[in-house]
Amino acid sequence: MAEVLIPTPRVDFDPTEVAVSWSVLTRLGHRVVFATPDGAVARGDELMLTGEGLDPWGFMPGLRRLVGIGRPLRAGAVAREAYARMEKSPEFRNPIRWEAIDLDTVDGVLFPGGHRARGMRSYLESETLQRSAVDAFRRSMPIAAICHGVLLLARSIDSTTNRSVLYGRNTTALTWSLERKAWRIARLTRFWEPNYYRTYNERPGEPAGYMSVQSEVTRALARAADFRDVSSNEPDAAIKNSGRVRDRFDDERAAFVVRDGNYISARWPGDVHTFAKQFADLLAAGPGAGR
């Protein structure tokens, strides 16, 4: 049994990426340790949990609970059930502080994502977590990152090379295609907070997508080609790129996961079952298996 660290922000992490990762890892015999900024119990993005507030009438208290467009955008039934179980688990109820992270006590680290700027920016900009990421890569321990979690790694600069820990690696992350689709929907349906799906927005003079996850991660890599996306001739490419179909524990067709040695990455919540399963396999293989 391996012990896996999952750091999260205090609020607004993606509930699917955290809860399904926890569920799959524990189902396959591993143990999870959670870490939050202050050691207090975290809470996922409420909009992704309920779908309430993702419809054009979502700002009206009397109509907020009437979920229409928010239904397909929110976490799926399997993820919501996993989140409910995770909330009651001793490990989730008793997180450690980010400052107390000690990689000597764990066998691997999984960095989840989330997009809402309110809670995610403190996570993505945390020097404490970035130092932990550098330490994990120096140790060549099993590391996994999904969605915006990859952005945290891209920003983690190893002082010995003055480059990102992802420099020279193959990786995927939330693609601009997927990020843009969600953003365009929210600009119409959640018009009072049109940038809900964009953690960082472009500044004047920057081209569209410059501050997207894909663009920033790509700028940290050795070559633009090291950012991996679904190729048009890949089996089930249309399903993988749709942004509407999610994988399941027993059906990986919709998923796209990239492995580079001891490092595994994925794009969005629709990849998470396959992502967590592959990480569990890497952990089970033991120290040095991914080198």
Side-chain angles (χ1 to χ4, degrees):
M1 178 182 73
E3 191 148 314
V4 181
L5 172 70
I6 300 183
T8 72
R10 181 67 177 78
V11 294
D12 293 334
F13 63 79
D14 185 89
T16 300
E17 292 169 5
V18 174
V20 172
S21 292
W22 166 83
S23 178
V24 170
L25 289 169
T26 55
R27 176 176 176 176
L28 296 178
H30 303 297
R31 182 176 179 272
V32 172
V33 176
F34 289 98
T36 63
D38 54 2
V41 179
R43 181 70 180 169
D45 186 340
E46 295 286 350
L47 273 69
M48 289 291 96
L49 278 169
T50 65
E52 297 175 11
L54 292 174
D55 293 286
W57 53 82
F59 67 96
M60 302 172 66
L63 296 176
R64 182 179 176 86
R65 291 183 178 275
L66 181 62
V67 178
I69 295 171
R71 191 172 299 275
L73 294 176
R74 71 182 180 182
V78 171
R80 297 197 307 276
E81 186 274 333
Y83 188 93
R85 288 189 290 110
M86 181 185 72
E87 271 194 310
K88 299 175 183 177
S89 69
E91 56 267 36
F92 189 75
R93 302 297 302 174
N94 295 278
I96 63 172
R97 293 179 297 106
W98 287 349
E99 293 286 352
I101 290 174
D102 180 0
L103 296 187
D104 285 336
T105 66
V106 297
D107 303 293
V109 187
L110 187 154
F111 294 92
H115 54 263
R116 195 171 192 183
R118 182 187 66 174
M120 285 300 296
R121 285 190 178 183
S122 63
Y123 171 79
L124 297 172
E125 297 167 8
S126 168
E127 294 182 359
T128 298
L129 293 183
Q130 291 171 15
R131 285 194 299 269
S132 293
V134 170
D135 189 12
F137 273 89
R138 285 178 177 174
R139 294 168 182 250
S140 296
M141 66 194 311
I143 301 162
I146 183 170
C147 195
H148 283 67
V150 182
L151 181 55
L152 190 156
L153 299 185
R155 294 176 172 183
S156 300
I157 307 301
D158 189 330
S159 60
T160 62
T161 63
N162 203 32
R163 287 172 169 161
S164 167
V165 294
L166 295 184
Y167 190 88
R169 295 276 187 163
N170 288 293
T171 190
T172 192
L174 179 65
T175 62
W176 175 227
S177 173
L178 290 172
E179 187 173 354
R180 182 171 50 191
K181 284 177 184 176
W183 177 44
R184 285 174 172 172
I185 292 171
R187 288 173 69 183
L188 297 175
T189 65
R190 193 173 170 82
F191 57 86
W192 63 96
E193 190 186 2
N195 291 320
Y196 162 68
Y197 273 106
R198 296 296 308 279
T199 312
Y200 296 93
N201 300 311
E202 285 73 38
R203 292 162 293 215
E206 292 177 341
Y210 185 80
M211 291 305 295
S212 67
V213 173
Q214 177 174 348
S215 290
E216 185 172 346
V217 169
T218 300
R219 291 195 291 272
L221 305 180
R223 304 179 307 146
D226 291 342
F227 187 95
R228 302 285 306 282
D229 198 358
V230 180
S231 64
S232 58
N233 59 358
E234 187 164 335
D236 302 307
I239 294 175
K240 296 178 189 297
N241 284 328
S242 70
R244 297 187 301 272
V245 183
R246 304 184 182 217
D247 74 348
R248 301 193 301 269
F249 188 87
D250 58 354
D251 187 348
E252 300 182 358
R253 289 176 298 168
F256 181 72
V257 177
V258 173
R259 177 173 172 181
D260 185 334
N262 62 310
Y263 168 57
I264 290 175
S265 58
R267 304 168 301 167
W268 74 301
D271 300 329
V272 70
H273 286 90
T274 306
F275 164 76
K277 284 167 61 179
Q278 290 194 19
F279 190 50
D281 290 343
L282 180 58
L283 291 162
R291 297 178 188 175

